[in-house]
Amino acid sequence: MLILDCPHCGPRNSSEFRHAGTSRERPDATSVTAEKWRDYLYTQQNAAGWVRENWYHAMGCRRYIAIERDTVTNRTRPSDARGATPRGTDATVGTSADSNQETAT
Amino acid sequence: MRNLAPDGSLLEGAKRLSRSVNTLGKTLDQPRTGRRVLPARYSAFDLVRRGLTSSPWPRTWHDHDLESSYDVVIIGAGVHGLATAYYLAANHGITRIAVLDKAYIGGGGSGRNTAIIRSNYLTPEGVAFYDRSVKLYEDLAIDLNFNVMFEQRGHLTLAHNDSSLRTMRWRAEVNKLQGVDSEVIGPAEIRQLVPYMDVSTGARYPILGALYHPPGGTVRHDAVNWAYARAADALGAQIHQNTEVLDVEVRGDRVTGVVTNRGNVSAPVVVNCTAGWASLVSAMAGVALPITTHPLQAAVTEPVKVFLETVVVSGTLHVYVSQTDRGELVFGASVDPYPSYSTRGSLEFTEELAGHVLELMPSIAKLRLLRQWAGLCDMTPDYSPIMGVTPVAGFLVDVGWGTYGYKAGPVSGESMAELVATGKTPELIASFDLARFAEGRLVGEKGAAAVGH
Amino acid sequence: MNDLRLPPRAGEVLERSSPVTFTWDGRSYTGLTGDTIVSALLANGVQVFSRSFKYSRPRGVLTASFLDPGCTVQVGDEPNVRAGHRQLTPGIDVRPQNVWPSLRFDPRVANQAVGRFLTAGFYYKTFMRPQRLWPAYQHVLAQFASGGRTSPSAEHGDYDKRYAHAEVVVAGAGPAGMAAALAAARAGVRVMLVEEEHALGGHLRWGGATELERLAELRAAVRGEPGIEVLVNSVVTGRYDDNWLAILQRGLPHVVERLIKARAATLVVAAGLIERPYVFSGNDLPGVMLATAARRLINLYAVRPGTRAVVLTANTEGDLAAADLLGAGVDLVRVVDARRGEGITRATGRGRLRAVELFDGSRVDADLLVTSTGWTAPTSLLNMAGVAPVWDDTSARFRPPEDLPDTVFATGGIVGDGSLDELLAHGKAVGTAAAARARGGRPAPVTALPARPHPALFRSPTHGFVDFSEDVTSKDIFAAAQEGYDSSELVKRFTTATMGPSQGKLETVNTVAVLAEATGRDVGQLGTTVWRPPYAPISLGALAGVSFEATRRSSIHAWHQAHGAVPLVAGQWIRPDSYGDAVAEARNVRCNVGIIDVTPLGKLDLRGPDVPKLLNLVYVNKWSKLAVGSVRYGVMCAEDGVVFDDGVTGRLEQDRYLMSTTSSGAAAVWEWLENWLQTEHPEWQVHVTPVTTAYTSINVAGPRSRELLSRLVDGVNLEPDAFPYMHVRTGRIAGVDECLLWRIGFTGELSYEIHVPASYGLHVWESLLEVGDDLGVAAFGVEAQRILRLEKGHLIVGQDTDGLTKAASAGLEWLIKLDKDDFVGKAELTWASELPARAPQLVALLPTDPNIVPAEASQIVREAERIGGRITSSRRSPELGRAICLGQVDPDLATSGTVVTVQLPDGRRVEATVMTELAFVDPPGERLRA
């Protein structure tokens, strides 16, 4: 169980949070090309190493916070933008289609 | 994801290769069986003979020096890579193959999965694909002369609410139309199959029914890996363990080879058959993928006398369980909720898992968890794999296998081999192309299921 | 008692005056309080506790501890109990496992004769033909499964969980661990000291007078230190990210096991050393045991382990064992000192040890062979912290590297060797450092504890067992290596060595060492396999703990129960599916008036000047001009254009809105709104409050609903002109202020959805029934609502749509306003609108045979037996007296009037016609607007 350092609440168990994707910029939906848009929707950096990502403190302050995490070791550190508003949360996660997903094997 | 090459424009290298292969095939007349000579036959008779004469078994596969060029380089010696090598050699006579792995045979997802095989998918393309895989698994032991212990013990997917029961019916109906044996059964029949199951109506998650899929079952995953390795090796493919690919060389828009910790290798065709590292390996070739990598955890209990014949899955409770012939219960769940390359596992996983298993079978509370582990799963947005060509000519992918790669090992190998040899994407995998994301034609498995394993 | 029980020993843990009676294999025995099952049975002359997994060889004591591979037994309905660890309790029913049909006679013993054919992995090479016989082979193989028995009627038992907040957790309470705990506590931090055995002290417990004296001092010091919480018969069984520890506590009253979860600032691993078995022919014979086992049996349990003993020693432990044996009156016939190049070749005997053959060719009769040939450091917890142990040639064991993560420390035998004083000093230094680190300090590294030289002894010139519980021999390892399974991982997988109950704690090093010998490499080159959690097996019951599954009920739940509601589990909610006759309930809504509890419907209170911007962003339709008092239906899509929720939102005041969502989507939609507000539009002034359970929601539906409500509502003009369809009002209902009334209609009838402060929900519900008696008012459940909404052609998200259904394919084209600036999903919906439809379309289907209702999920079959769609909803319509359906069909089949073929689950095929509109009842919506 990771500890995430919430800028509003302090260090908390990661079970209080929901992972909200790596940070990325949402293109302007009215002018974007299909190619760029789907690149934004689907293509992932999926880096092995430090990434800047957003977490939603669902069972705490209910704020989106920015965290830096090493995806290989799961070590975390507060983002440079600690306390700042996270931008560009991954808009493809967290929809009911995902949360209602069942497990199959 | 830009300028994805349509199937027809597959690398010329592969075309040349396929032409030479076709020629080769004519010369040999029977390329499928021409060189299928295994080093030592496995049989009860041979076991006894060697036991009596104390004569050792020959090596299952061999070590080789890494050569400077091959016709095909396959990255990843898991079931997908090894099966691809085997079918290239067995079905198409292409044998100048190197299978490279940074660790050992079957050390990644192929050795960490819960070894469940089934074909009761939701979409017609999914059903057809996995059904072919089941068929190949059924004959694998004899085809490869290696007992892979495919046990078709039946596969139950439980429904705890109306909507999942509806989905089970949906899958059953699609399966039936495709000739796959699936049916929805009720609590009484479930109890007959699994006497330990709590099917009482007062349960927090009552069991309303299940999708019963008799051909589903389990396989001994290591055996499958070794069987393919042995057969591919016998046909001339070289398996290089402890050989890590450090870079993929691309000239212009064409792949030319790979850089490894044991030297450079040139090849007109490079197939990425990795899992967990699929996007990192593809990035070496400049190919971005719609993949996030998540750990998937699994666990086994201490052995007890066999009491559970079928495979039991509960999507709502995010758990699946089967019992091995050794008596251990094998559990799996869905992928961890955030991406990571760490395979260290978590306590929450075991707590939730145990809670959910005991919802289903309360009387096994005193059974002890013996070991937990994790593998890495490359998740795609539509819970379907990515197979075929990429914008880099000659660089092919067989990736994005999420939690269901093991089920598809044989059919993926067969299909990828056909693609390499003929230059044409087989119909069976056409809908799994990389271009579908840029073109917005996702596969419908996401429609109702398919995570977890 | 017999002569196997020695006179009282200084360090014994027995209560001589307190006998305990129990049964073993159906016969009654007596032991003493403090005995383990094994020590009690040994004192009674029992020497064989199980038969081995593959060859059915009789097995006795090897380690006399938790790890003892041959001493796993069934106790009552509990399988796989470690008899070398479990203490006797009165009356327990202990049975051997894996001994069908009995411990004394076992037909599988024939396997020994054919053992040469049953080499590791033999099953991969046979049983292939004929293929259809494999299930039969499999059943035979499964008979060999080791382990105990479960039963469907086994008691679940009680389990417990606890969160602990120690700053320093010390795993292992030998001398170094105790010293570390003392030092840390004296530095002022809260310490938890966890010991797997039943008492503190580690190897001091089975030591001599000096050790016992020092142990008494240490125990007194620990007892006197209030900052230390001591747990015995407990084990730190897992170390997870950020020192999240799983501690298994056993032997508590009333609970089978307890799982303690502790977030330790620092972890001190003081797990000691595990004595390693030696590999030689006959090393599994009852009578062959480790030096630590012999010493434990003599000194802790006062059991004489044999009468004529040979000791093979390579270290002090072996020497001390020899001394202990002499002291216990055992005839010590030979001490074989490996440090002087002496050794043993094999042990012989049928079913138990009779003789030992030495290097010099001599043969010594003995019934006890004690070996002490090396140690294994149990580095599991360090492994779980990402530390890879390193092979040390000098001490012939894997040791942790000096450089550990800064929140993890190690002391005692696991890191090195030393005199008792040196161990205590190291423990103290580590404990002090761990305490400083726990408080945020950066302590200087502790000087390493060196390891003493030890001869590298793994195997005699003969082959023997490497893994006792898996019946894997060194010969198997050689054979596997020769076949190409020549890395640590492959040999483990192929032979199954280290896969058994002790998970390699006894077996890993020998496996790797034999593999090294077989392949001409050295142990360090091969490395060890990764140790996975848990360190000690933990019951599913303890992991699960008490179930805290949330269940949600509305304030009217008790009424539903009292009125015969059939419960429906809908996510966390329990709802009335019907009150017995859903069709009658539906009819009553169409004719009179019905009321349904719709509390689970998600409700979000939205306030602020920028709410319209938010609504415009998340819904596909336009919201800028929604007037106060109006309500609008909206559909939400994800960025890929796929529908994920729907509902109505009303404007209550200038800057106050109420949004409703689907029941299952309530939590996700709230988070979705927060996501957009916090990450993309933090400048917008909108506050979102979930109010789902703040209100009890009741839908009043039917032609007489207005009349019914008019009897209870104050302050709202219900007349159609004053309160038209798709409007919202605030008023008093049945005397309850601050109620909301929406005029909307999921059922297709004139209806009002009322939201009442939750504490008055039942009052309003009962008032409606009371005052509407003459109007025929009756409650209706979810099933009746489903019938009604299907008659009206209203879709259910997730049932009539799926994970790929874009809004335009769900009959919602009319709603999507692509000329809006930006909204979630706009890009994809725009492109979809520019292409000919290729996704399945949602249509209404009228089966030709009015009496056949195609089951939901029935497939639509088109030419060439291809699937052309499916039935998503179907019912018999009470209003129309016939079957009706919604379904998704291929776009070319979606034209009105098309006749499609539906395959029913039983294989029959029927036809159905595609309708012009989704609604079967009242397509123009006159009833809604009445």
Side-chain angles (χ1 to χ4, degrees):
Chain A
M1 171 92 71
L2 292 180
I3 294 180
L4 299 180
D5 194 1
C6 174
H8 311 290
C9 310
R12 292 288 187 275
N13 282 345
S14 60
S15 56
E16 293 183 8
F17 298 79
R18 188 181 67 73
H19 182 258
T22 45
S23 309
R24 46 199 187 156
E25 214 53 49
R26 181 179 187 247
D28 176 14
T30 55
S31 62
V32 69
T33 62
E35 195 178 290
K36 276 226 161 65
W37 178 256
R38 286 168 185 154
D39 199 45
Y40 156 71
L41 267 191
Y42 301 124
T43 306
Q44 302 281 344
Q45 285 302 314
N46 204 29
W50 287 99
V51 296
R52 183 173 179 275
E53 57 190 11
N54 296 328
W55 290 73
Y56 177 57
H57 198 177
M59 292 183 216
C61 58
R62 294 181 181 134
R63 304 300 298 169
Y64 280 79
I65 64 166
I67 291 276
E68 287 180 20
R69 180 171 61 97
D70 183 335
T71 57
V72 177
T73 63
N74 277 342
R75 280 187 304 158
T76 60
R77 62 190 182 205
S79 167
D80 295 343
R82 184 187 160 92
T85 306
R87 296 283 302 190
T89 284
D90 188 340
T92 59
V93 297
T95 62
S96 61
D98 274 327
S99 58
N100 288 344
Q101 198 73 45
E102 297 215 333
T103 299
T105 193
Chain B
M1 295 249 301
R2 269 144 285 259
N3 308 318
L4 294 179
D7 293 345
S9 73
L10 175 64
L11 61 149
E12 280 175 36
K15 280 184 179 164
R16 278 202 303 277
L17 199 57
S18 76
R19 278 196 293 275
S20 69
V21 168
N22 294 340
T23 322
L24 188 66
K26 274 171 199 139
T27 332
L28 287 178
D29 205 28
Q30 281 181 309
R32 215 191 124 75
T33 51
R35 293 188 51 216
R36 295 182 77 186
V37 183
L38 290 167
R41 204 141 182 94
Y42 288 170
S43 71
F45 172 77
D46 288 278
L47 269 175
V48 171
R49 181 175 61 82
R50 286 177 192 271
L52 288 174
T53 58
S54 297
S55 57
W57 292 93
R59 286 186 71 82
T60 318
W61 45 76
H62 300 82
D63 293 331
H64 302 272
D65 291 332
L66 191 63
E67 296 173 25
S68 61
S69 83
Y70 292 91
D71 288 345
V72 182
V73 162
I74 296 167
I75 308 173
V79 66
H80 284 251
L82 294 167
T84 302
Y86 167 72
Y87 290 111
L88 271 172
N91 292 0
H92 306 284
I94 299 174
T95 56
R96 285 189 29 80
I97 306 166
V99 184
L100 312 181
D101 199 289
K102 68 175 182 176
Y104 57 96
I105 289 169
S110 293
R112 294 161 187 260
N113 62 85
T114 48
I116 296 168
I117 309 296
R118 66 181 174 93
S119 63
N120 58 353
Y121 280 70
L122 178 70
T123 58
E125 53 269 48
V127 176
F129 181 73
Y130 289 98
D131 188 41
R132 175 67 189 153
S133 214
V134 168
K135 295 277 181 344
L136 288 168
Y137 268 122
E138 283 172 350
D139 295 334
L140 211 54
I142 284 177
D143 279 356
L144 302 183
N145 179 230
F146 200 116
N147 190 354
V148 298
M149 304 184 193
F150 182 31
E151 292 166 10
Q152 297 186 289
R153 28 171 91 210
H155 182 285
L156 280 175
T157 313
L158 304 174
H160 302 275
N161 54 52
D162 281 4
S163 86
S164 61
L165 192 58
R166 199 177 302 117
T167 305
M168 295 315 137
R169 283 212 195 91
W170 181 0
R171 281 165 63 179
E173 292 311 304
V174 172
N175 289 184
K176 281 191 255 178
L177 280 166
Q178 307 257 124
V180 168
D181 188 1
S182 284
E183 57 180 322
V184 173
I185 62 172
E189 290 160 287
I190 295 169
R191 176 92 197 203
Q192 288 238 303
L193 288 166
V194 187
Y196 280 61
M197 190 82 74
D198 177 12
V199 294
S200 60
T201 48
R204 176 64 184 82
Y205 293 98
I207 295 170
L208 305 182
L211 178 64
Y212 181 46
H213 177 51
T218 55
V219 72
R220 177 90 171 91
H221 53 200
D222 289 328
V224 175
N225 304 333
W226 301 334
Y228 274 122
R230 171 169 170 262
D233 176 272
L235 294 177
Q238 297 183 1
I239 301 160
H240 297 279
Q241 302 182 77
N242 300 308
T243 307
E244 183 171 7
V245 172
L246 305 172
D247 202 1
V248 177
E249 296 197 308
V250 177
R251 211 161 295 146
D253 62 352
R254 174 178 311 280
V255 77
T256 57
V258 296
V259 179
T260 79
N261 60 343
R262 292 171 61 203
N264 292 12
V265 176
S266 69
V269 180
V270 174
V271 190
N272 178 4
C273 286
T274 62
W277 296 270
S279 49
L280 303 179
V281 169
S282 288
M284 293 175 188
V287 174
L289 294 176
I291 280 176
T292 54
T293 299
H294 292 249
L296 174 66
Q297 302 192 55
V300 294
T301 64
E302 295 180 344
V304 283
K305 301 289 182 223
V306 173
F307 69 90
L308 178 65
E309 287 286 330
T310 53
V311 178
V312 175
V313 180
S314 165
T316 305
L317 294 174
H318 301 289
V319 63
Y320 36 94
V321 50
S322 65
Q323 189 173 19
T324 66
D325 294 335
R326 291 163 49 82
E328 302 152 327
L329 290 188
V330 183
F331 302 124
S334 41
V335 295
D336 283 3
Y338 51 89
S340 175
Y341 289 91
S342 162
T343 54
R344 286 218 288 271
S346 68
L347 180 60
E348 305 83 87
F349 157 74
T350 58
E351 293 181 86
E352 281 168 27
L353 177 82
H356 290 153
V357 167
L358 295 183
E359 287 274 353
L360 301 176
M361 296 186 277
S363 62
I364 61 168
K366 287 172 186 157
L367 226 64
R368 293 185 191 81
L369 199 83
L370 186 61
R371 178 173 72 252
Q372 70 177 114
W373 69 92
L376 296 180
C377 296
D378 291 332
M379 305 305 293
T380 60
D382 59 359
Y383 301 95
S384 294
I386 307 169
M387 302 178 77
V389 298
T390 69
V392 174
F395 184 72
L396 308 180
V397 291
D398 172 21
V399 299
W401 281 104
T403 60
Y404 27 85
Y406 212 83
K407 303 172 201 343
V411 67
S412 299
E414 188 185 56
S415 305
M416 291 305 290
E418 185 182 337
L419 168 60
V420 170
T422 65
K424 288 201 205 89
T425 300
E427 189 55 39
L428 217 48
I429 62 168
S431 59
F432 302 139
D433 61 331
L434 175 58
R436 74 180 184 272
F437 299 99
E439 293 167 14
R441 344 170 234 107
L442 272 54
V443 181
E445 284 301 337
K446 187 181 179 179
V451 208
H453 183 214
Chain C
M1 290 293 135
N2 52 52
D3 68 335
L4 291 168
R5 186 75 81 178
L6 300 166
R9 310 281 301 178
E12 73 177 26
V13 295
L14 306 171
E15 286 180 41
R16 296 264 176 175
S17 58
S18 173
V20 178
T21 304
F22 66 105
T23 61
W24 162 250
D25 203 9
R27 284 162 64 173
S28 182
Y29 290 89
T30 304
L32 295 173
T33 299
D35 258 328
T36 62
I37 294 170
V38 158
S39 68
L41 286 172
L42 282 173
N44 280 285
V46 175
Q47 286 178 325
V48 176
F49 299 99
S50 67
R51 283 184 174 274
S52 76
F53 164 54
K54 200 159 105 183
Y55 303 123
S56 227
R57 293 172 64 93
R59 292 279 163 81
V61 168
L62 180 68
T63 73
S65 70
F66 190 89
L67 297 177
D68 210 323
C71 300
T72 299
V73 299
Q74 178 100 21
V75 176
D77 62 11
E78 183 180 356
N80 304 327
V81 171
R82 306 311 204 271
H85 176 86
R86 177 68 61 86
Q87 288 177 323
L88 278 191
T89 43
I92 50 172
D93 175 22
V94 186
R95 290 174 186 277
Q97 299 183 160
N98 213 28
V99 286
W100 181 86
S102 85
L103 200 56
R104 276 166 216 85
F105 170 78
D106 189 329
R108 268 187 288 149
V109 77
N111 279 1
Q112 289 184 55
V114 296
R116 65 197 309 178
F117 313 121
L118 303 183
T119 49
F122 75 93
Y123 31 78
Y124 297 129
K125 299 188 175 88
T126 182
F127 302 139
M128 283 172 277
R129 282 177 194 273
Q131 224 167 349
R132 68 190 156 72
L133 277 189
W134 170 242
Y137 295 137
Q138 178 218 333
H139 275 278
V140 173
L141 279 184
Q143 293 304 311
F144 283 77
S146 54
R149 287 182 191 283
T150 53
S151 140
S153 57
E155 258 182 55
H156 183 280
D158 290 325
Y159 301 85
D160 189 23
K161 283 190 192 180
R162 173 190 159 194
Y163 287 92
H165 303 278
E167 290 166 283
V168 174
V169 169
V170 181
M178 291 170 87
L182 282 167
R186 285 168 184 164
V189 301
R190 294 186 310 279
V191 179
M192 190 174 253
L193 177 62
V194 186
E195 170 54 47
E196 184 171 16
E197 299 263 339
H198 300 282
L200 302 184
H203 68 270
L204 296 182
R205 294 172 64 218
W206 52 88
T210 321
E211 282 84 9
L212 291 174
E213 197 177 309
R214 297 295 291 274
L215 175 57
E217 287 165 26
L218 280 167
R219 282 180 176 167
V222 169
R223 258 198 311 275
E225 194 55 63
I228 303 178
E229 179 180 0
V230 174
L231 304 175
V232 292
N233 197 8
S234 300
V235 55
V236 181
T237 197
R239 187 272 179 195
Y240 300 92
D241 286 331
D242 291 332
N243 269 354
W244 183 241
L245 305 179
I247 301 170
L248 170 65
Q249 196 178 9
R250 312 185 187 104
L252 295 163
H254 312 304
V255 292
V256 182
E257 282 181 345
R258 170 191 279 163
L259 171 64
I260 300 175
K261 298 187 276 182
R263 177 78 76 182
T266 53
L267 168 66
V268 177
V269 182
L273 288 171
I274 293 172
E275 193 168 27
R276 202 161 62 217
Y278 189 49
V279 180
F280 55 94
S281 174
N283 66 342
D284 69 326
L285 285 171
V288 177
M289 67 177 70
L290 302 178
T292 41
R295 297 193 69 206
R296 290 165 62 91
L297 291 174
I298 293 168
N299 296 320
L300 295 179
Y301 304 106
V303 171
R304 189 165 51 74
T307 50
R308 272 176 67 82
V310 172
V311 172
L312 169 65
T313 173
N315 55 41
T316 323
E317 189 71 12
D319 304 342
L320 292 170
D324 283 343
L325 288 169
L326 278 176
V330 175
D331 182 7
L332 185 60
V333 288
R334 189 74 65 92
V335 175
V336 182
D337 194 333
R339 291 161 295 196
R340 294 202 303 256
E342 300 167 1
I344 61 162
T345 314
R346 60 167 55 88
T348 56
R350 249 184 93 84
R352 63 153 305 138
L353 179 68
R354 299 280 176 224
V356 181
E357 273 180 39
L358 308 186
F359 277 4
D360 62 12
S362 63
R363 188 187 146 93
V364 182
D365 287 346
D367 65 355
L368 176 64
L369 170 60
V370 170
T371 69
S372 186
T373 56
W375 304 97
T376 295
T379 53
S380 306
L381 290 173
L382 297 171
N383 263 141
M384 296 173 209
V387 176
V390 182
W391 180 253
D392 176 23
D393 271 323
T394 308
S395 59
R397 65 185 199 241
F398 282 100
R399 294 172 63 206
E402 281 186 32
D403 197 21
L404 298 178
D406 62 3
T407 57
V408 178
F409 294 78
T411 185
I414 198 168
V415 288
D417 305 306
S419 66
L420 179 52
D421 284 327
E422 285 164 342
L423 288 172
L424 291 172
H426 191 265
K428 182 178 175 182
V430 164
T432 308
R437 183 72 194 86
R439 287 286 163 89
R442 292 266 156 208
V446 176
T447 314
L449 193 63
R452 289 182 187 144
H454 193 290
L457 290 172
F458 306 106
R459 187 173 79 87
S460 82
T462 55
H463 283 297
F465 285 92
V466 168
D467 189 319
F468 296 82
S469 40
E470 294 290 312
D471 260 3
V472 178
T473 65
S474 49
K475 201 173 176 182
D476 288 323
I477 309 263
F478 269 73
Q482 185 151 25
E483 286 189 55
Y485 304 95
D486 53 6
S487 64
S488 307
E489 287 289 347
L490 285 176
V491 79
K492 172 181 100 176
R493 287 166 180 273
F494 184 71
T495 63
T496 73
T498 78
M499 307 273 263
S502 75
Q503 289 288 290
K505 292 176 191 72
L506 293 174
E507 306 90 354
T508 292
V509 175
N510 282 340
T511 303
V512 176
V514 172
L515 178 64
E517 190 190 345
T519 57
R521 285 175 284 181
D522 48 67
V523 178
Q525 237 177 314
L526 285 167
T528 175
T529 56
V530 180
W531 306 76
R532 308 272 179 205
Y535 176 74
I538 177 167
S539 67
L540 297 180
L543 286 168
V546 178
S547 174
F548 290 111
E549 208 68 59
T551 302
R552 305 175 81 183
R553 300 176 183 89
S554 88
S555 62
I556 314 172
H557 185 78
W559 187 95
H560 299 320
Q561 278 190 311
H563 291 79
V566 178
L568 171 74
V569 178
Q572 292 184 328
W573 290 92
I574 311 293
R575 305 188 61 182
D577 191 48
S578 77
Y579 302 88
D581 186 349
V583 172
E585 291 163 24
R587 278 213 184 91
N588 191 54
V589 172
R590 292 265 182 252
C591 308
N592 297 309
V593 55
I595 58 175
I596 179 171
D597 180 357
V598 291
T599 302
L601 203 68
K603 294 173 281 286
L604 297 168
D605 178 284
L606 312 176
R607 296 190 196 216
D610 294 318
V611 173
K613 289 182 185 166
L614 175 67
L615 299 177
N616 272 329
L617 180 69
V618 298
Y619 281 132
V620 299
N621 50 342
K622 291 186 182 175
W623 293 82
S624 308
K625 290 183 181 151
L626 187 72
V628 173
S630 286
V631 167
R632 193 165 284 171
Y633 174 70
V635 165
M636 290 182 196
C637 292
E639 285 281 42
D640 55 8
V642 172
V643 175
F644 90 89
D645 207 77
D646 70 344
V648 297
T649 291
R651 189 171 195 175
L652 309 179
E653 296 163 20
Q654 179 62 27
D655 289 340
R656 182 184 169 206
Y657 294 72
L658 186 71
M659 171 185 281
S660 70
T661 73
T662 61
S663 307
S664 57
V669 170
W670 177 28
E671 200 171 321
W672 184 243
L673 299 185
E674 291 291 354
N675 184 345
W676 289 100
L677 287 170
Q678 290 185 38
T679 69
E680 285 293 330
H681 297 287
E683 73 284 3
W684 288 355
Q685 294 186 49
V686 178
H687 193 89
V688 184
T689 311
V691 293
T692 301
T693 43
Y695 290 107
T696 294
S697 304
I698 303 166
N699 195 296
V700 185
R704 301 168 120 173
S705 55
R706 182 180 291 128
E707 191 180 347
L708 171 59
L709 274 180
S710 67
R711 297 177 185 181
L712 285 176
V713 172
D714 290 332
V716 178
N717 183 349
L718 294 174
E719 287 310 306
D721 296 342
F723 187 4
Y725 180 58
M726 294 307 273
H727 282 71
V728 58
R729 297 289 182 264
T730 308
R732 172 187 293 202
I733 305 176
V736 181
D737 285 327
E738 298 283 320
C739 294
L740 298 174
L741 296 89
W742 314 63
R743 201 184 146 189
I744 54 176
F746 192 48
T747 58
E749 289 299 322
L750 168 67
S751 73
Y752 300 83
E753 199 155 282
I754 58 177
H755 303 287
V756 181
S759 41
Y760 297 104
L762 181 58
H763 161 71
V764 172
W765 177 267
E766 287 181 325
S767 303
L768 285 165
L769 291 168
E770 198 180 304
V771 304
D773 194 35
D774 60 318
L775 300 175
V777 66
F780 66 106
V782 175
E783 175 56 21
Q785 188 188 42
R786 284 184 187 138
I787 295 171
L788 294 162
R789 71 90 202 177
L790 178 59
E791 288 179 336
K792 178 60 187 169
H794 282 151
L795 66 89
I796 295 179
V797 172
Q799 176 171 342
D800 299 304
T801 70
D802 58 53
L804 286 182
T805 310
K806 292 194 166 80
S809 319
L812 296 166
E813 251 166 325
W814 56 275
L815 197 69
I816 307 168
K817 298 293 183 267
L818 292 173
D819 56 337
K820 268 203 302 185
D821 267 357
D822 181 16
F823 64 89
V824 182
K826 174 175 178 176
E828 288 292 347
L829 291 174
T830 306
W831 297 321
S833 73
E834 289 161 359
L835 295 169
R838 60 184 177 198
Q841 306 288 305
L842 184 67
V843 296
L845 292 158
L846 195 68
T848 309
D849 185 335
N851 294 316
I852 296 178
V853 182
E856 288 170 356
S858 294
Q859 298 295 300
I860 290 162
V861 185
R862 55 182 308 167
E863 67 282 354
E865 292 294 291
R866 281 197 301 123
I867 293 170
R870 71 178 197 281
I871 304 295
T872 59
S873 295
S874 64
R875 288 291 185 277
R876 183 178 171 85
S877 160
E879 181 80 355
L880 303 178
R882 69 176 337 283
I884 56 171
C885 312
L886 289 179
Q888 286 193 15
V889 297
D890 285 349
D892 63 312
L893 300 178
T895 328
S896 165
T898 308
V899 176
V900 298
T901 305
V902 181
Q903 169 149 326
L904 306 180
D906 62 11
R908 279 181 302 156
R909 293 193 173 183
V910 298
E911 291 185 330
T913 308
V914 175
M915 308 294 285
T916 317
E917 298 187 73
L918 291 178
F920 294 94
V921 170
D922 187 29
E926 283 162 10
R927 298 188 192 184
L928 283 170
R929 293 181 175 79

